Amino acid sequence: MPDKPTPDDLKNLRVSVEMVKFELRRLERRLEWLEQVEVSEPSPPIAGPSISPAPAAVVAPPIINPAPAPHDSLAALRKVHGLPLLDDARLRGSAAKKEPTTSGTFEVAIGKTWLNRIGAFILLLGIGFFIKYAFDRGFISPMMRVLIGGATGLLLIAAGEYSLRKGMRQFAGGLLGAGSAILYFSTFSAHAYYHLIDTQAAFALLCVVTAISTIMSVRGNLLGIAILGLIGGIWTPLAVSTGRNEQVALLTYLVILDVGFLICGLIRQWHVLRVLTFLGTIALYVGWYDKFYQPEAMWVTLGYLAGFYLIYLVEGQVAVRRGDAQDISSATLITSLCNAAFFSAVYYIANESLDRWMGLFAVGMGTLQFLIARPLSRLGAGPAVMFESLQIAGASFLALAAPLQFDKHLVVITWGLQSVVTLCFCRGHDRPWLRIKSCGILVAALGHVFLFDFREPGLSEKFLSYGNWYLTRLLAMIVFLGIGSYAGAFALSYRRVLRKLDAFLCAGLISFGSVVMLWNFWFHYERFLASWWWVGLAMFWYLISMRSPRLVAVYLIIASACVSKYFVDDTYWCALAEGSWSRISGIGVNRMFLTGLLMAGVSLLSISSAKSVIGQLAPGSSWHEFLLGDRFPKLFSFLAAFIITWAGSFEVARVFRFEPWRDHFNDPLQAGDVFLTGWWVLNSVALWIGVRSSKHILARYALVLTWWCVVWFTMHDTIHVAMSDAWSVLQGIASNRTFILGLVIIANTFLTYAMRKRAVAVATRAPTSPAAVSALLVAAVSLTVWLPTFEILRVFTFEPARFQFADPRLAMQVFLSVFWALAAIFYLCIGFARMIAVLRYVAIVLFGVTVCKVMLIDMANLEMIYRIVSFIVLGLLLLLASLLYQKLSERILHPAKQRS
């Protein structure tokens, strides 16, 4: 057994402890300094301090020999001495800050490009402000203003040319852009504002500026200057417009402009310039046509249209033969747009005069596409995109030829039959363009319905009618398109192994047919009858999916569309936007409520279908994860419950606004709000009783309903009602409808708390955290305090019993204080008895509120100004201290860093 320590041993121990403390402080300062050193640089090993040996009775601390790696050495030292370990992420972050990064590249890009552009823009603005200032002051005559602007623009262009020769492309681009813009504005001002030059001279000068900008852009490979020149060129006719129809001059100028910029795009392979030139041409041409076109100029207009079409067609072919992938893609896009725009424009302009020749014109357009596409097939795989596009365009034009010769009422039917027949022929070969063309015919047929058939009043006449149901030729025509889409999908997929393209086309055809039919029913029928037709279509696909499980997704999508329509159109839009729900009658037997029940049934029927979809997917796959895995079927059970809540809510709101039964209440709207909250509570209670698993989605929905009822009852049914004086209609002390509803909500909240607490206790991974359970308890307890408080305020404000007191308002304050104090004592006792910390916290808070009320309200006759002043001063000092902490937190956390 060791000897008892002597006083000398204790003295030596104290000395050793002091030495260790000194060494630890020195090491701490050393480590704080090392944290700021670059970790990636090699550093000498940290020599561990050797502690002087203590007397025999004291065990000496171990000698530290850290490893050479700086980071590991610091971690070992801190671990041995019980210090906090270094933050690896912070060390790596500090090292990364000092290592070279790619920020330099970004900085160079800003300095060379964006600063230049911004500087040019600011320079332009500065010149503009100077000119405006000079204008306002009258310092410079109009001629001098124009000359100064022109000279400035020319100087900037000269400086840009000089910079371009020196190799400073970005800087030159800014100077050239600013100079060109100033020349544009100066010329426009000389013509439009000061009338110093006539229209021809202004037009010529603007064309010169455009030519200079274009030449400089090609020479310096500056796309931005080319785009600026294009914008200026498109703007020039607008700037010098005289208000007269100058068709030949305008369209000739536009032809020259297009040729010039398309050549520039070919030289520099600027595919963006090709697209912008096409869009600018379309915009300028449409503007002229809308304002000046006359039928007498049809042949001239058609000639120019053909010229534009040939220009872009030839340019596209040249680009395909000498361009890269991006040039081929943009050229193909423009060629397709040109085909569509040219054919549409010719048809729109000449249809009335040359209607008998439109079919032949479509044949000619289709033949031209095939003739142009034929040489491309010998050029290899490069122009394949253009080749396929021309083939599709040719087939489409040939498909349009026959319908153009028929009466337009038969066009839709002809196209639908032609599409189905073509898709049947597609079963024998794998060429994709024929499939795509067939699907495009259906889209074109729908477009024909919108453009032409809606204008025919005879197609909208009812030839069959029964109640709200009727049938028109237009409705039957659109249904025929939907059925044709379904038939086309059936033709592609029946007894065949589908390729990826065919599967995609089948999905598109089914989607197209479904959307067309859904829209058709919604457009023609009354909203609730349309919803029933939607449900009928969903049931059709449900029956098909029982035979072909692959089509379950179609049913689910249509069912989801039905439910969405009910939410948006049948309830929200009907009630809040149109207000047409006032014409609905019958409590619980009207069209709105019955449609809601029907939608809930559709949602319940979708549960098994959703399980079938999930069963077909491999666990862990992307679609399985996207559909939330096994929770996807449960979403439809939630949707059914939510629809019932939603439908009942609208029914309660409707009854208390329009039904005669509302006259039983002295304030129907306030009673309706209470009954509405009660309906939500009943939904929540029913879900809690019916759902056993706390992890089920309906249990979570019940939890959301519980919280919603608590918040809504507190904020709307009590506070809002009190502030609007609507609570004066309530009668009965602790027996009115608001108080009874509050008791039900409190009971439901306690029930929710008990069930969620049990779930947390028995489950290893509970769906509710302990903090959320505590929040439920706080909500329930708060309601037990707030509901009697609301009732005391109401009784002493409106009930005749208040006159039993000499001063009812003072008595009310006393009752409130006594009740709050008793409630605080009650919950404090429960909290200690059951060891529930939340209840004790609530009790303490309630005690504090009571004390504050007593101090500030019940003792209002005392001189409280000094207390108020002291509170304000204290609050300011606390805020100031908080601010000082915010400012000086780094000095506290890192003193060594601050000293260095």
Side-chain angles (χ1 to χ4, degrees), residues 210-254:
T210 301
I212 293 174
S213 302
T214 307
I215 294 172
M216 290 295 102
S217 66
V218 175
R219 185 176 179 276
N221 195 13
L222 297 170
L223 177 60
I225 304 302
I227 295 175
L228 178 62
L230 175 62
I231 295 174
I234 298 297
W235 173 71
T236 294
L238 303 176
V240 299
S241 175
T242 59
R244 298 192 301 269
N245 183 12
E246 301 288 347
Q247 179 185 7
V248 176
L250 174 65
L251 297 183
T252 302
Y253 165 79
L254 198 55

Side-chain angles (χ1 to χ4, degrees), residues 2 92 101 127 163 169 192 203 255 334 353 363 447 475 553 586 599 629 654 687 713 747 775 798 821 855 873 896:
R92 290 192 296 269
T101 61
I127 294 174
S163 302
R169 287 183 58 253
F203 180 76
V255 168
I334 295 301
S353 301
V363 173
L475 190 151
M599 295 302 172
R654 189 193 63 80
L687 289 173
F713 177 78
F798 302 107
M855 296 288 293
V873 172

Side-chain angles (χ1 to χ4, degrees), residues 653-783:
R654 189 193 63 80
V655 167
F656 281 92
R657 280 168 173 78
F658 308 111
E659 290 289 340
W661 186 71
R662 63 195 291 268
D663 297 332
H664 291 83
F665 302 90
N666 46 10
D667 189 348
L669 293 181
Q670 191 274 339
D673 291 340
V674 174
F675 274 82
L676 184 61
T677 310
W679 168 251
W680 296 335
V681 177
L682 290 178
N683 276 260
S684 177
V685 173
L687 289 173
W688 281 124
I689 296 176
V691 180
R692 298 180 180 273
S693 173
S694 61
K695 294 184 179 180
H696 198 277
I697 191 171
L698 292 181
R700 300 179 184 183
Y701 175 57
L703 177 63
V704 173
L705 273 180
T706 300
W707 275 109
W708 173 253
C709 293
V710 170
V711 175
W712 184 261
F713 177 78
T714 304
M715 302 303 298
H716 184 270
D717 295 337
T718 53
I719 295 179
H720 175 73
V721 167
M723 294 178 64
S724 61
D725 290 336
W727 58 346
S728 59
V729 300
L730 300 176
Q731 298 177 0
I733 301 176
S735 60
N736 57 80
R737 54 178 175 265
T738 300
F739 191 83
I740 295 174
L741 175 63
L743 294 179
V744 176
I745 293 177
I746 291 171
N748 181 47
T749 309
F750 275 114
L751 173 64
T752 306
Y753 164 73
M755 298 193 67
R756 305 309 279 190
K757 182 180 179 181
R758 188 181 305 113
V760 172
V762 302
T764 56
R765 297 182 60 185
T768 305
S769 64
V773 175
S774 300
L776 281 170
L777 181 60
V778 171
V781 171
S782 301
L783 277 179

